[in-house]
Amino acid sequence: MSPVDHRSGRRAEFEAFVAGAAGRLLHVAVLLTAESGAGAGSGTGAGSGAGSGCPGARRLLAGALARTYADWRRVRGDDPYDHTRRELCAAYARTARRYRGGPGVLARLAPQERLALVLCIHEGVPEEVAAAQLGLPADRIRALTARAVAAMRTGREAA
């Protein structure tokens, strides 16, 4: 009987998680960075051409996945997607000034507005949870989300 390599089991679990969640997480990263690369957010995984023109989004996602893997033993019993999304959003919040965005519709939003919109509207995270994750009052998240939605409506009507 050979010894069991627990690292290979951990790695296999993590790889299965990435295979199932990378496409959706990359889409979140593309929305946050407001990069508009060819095929952004389409496809089934981070290696399948999804967001291939979005180096900032890919960099954010790679960092978030690396932190998730480092915490995998603790995270795998909870919700690894939620943990990775929190890591992704925290990394974006720390580095948002780097992402000016392209011609996409989200590029005209301020970084905090974009973050609130992506978390609350696109991902469906309750405002109170988003507020706790970002270290902001829930009223501030509500105001940021409302302002972002209003800016999106104004932009749509002008087009």
Side-chain angles (χ1 to χ4, degrees), residues 86 90 119-120 125-139 141:
R86 276 191 313 236
L119 274 176
C120 297
V125 175
E127 292 167 341
E128 293 76 17
V129 174
Q133 288 177 1
L134 300 175
L136 297 170
D139 290 341
I141 294 294

Side-chain angles (χ1 to χ4, degrees), residues 7-95:
R7 287 184 309 207
S8 65
R10 178 178 119 173
R11 182 177 175 188
E13 286 177 354
F14 181 75
E15 286 175 354
F17 161 69
V18 171
R24 188 170 159 204
L25 287 164
L26 180 59
H27 188 70
V28 170
V30 168
L31 291 173
L32 289 173
T33 61
E35 292 176 305
S36 57
S42 62
T44 59
S48 66
S52 59
C54 304
R58 287 183 166 282
R59 206 170 18 258
L60 272 177
L61 179 57
L65 287 170
R67 285 185 295 282
T68 299
Y69 183 71
D71 294 339
W72 188 251
R73 186 172 288 154
R74 179 179 54 83
V75 169
R76 72 180 187 188
D78 295 330
D79 183 357
Y81 179 85
D82 184 53
H83 178 83
T84 308
R85 183 184 58 218
R86 276 191 313 236
E87 292 288 350
L88 185 65
C89 291
Y92 171 75
R94 285 189 306 270
T95 61

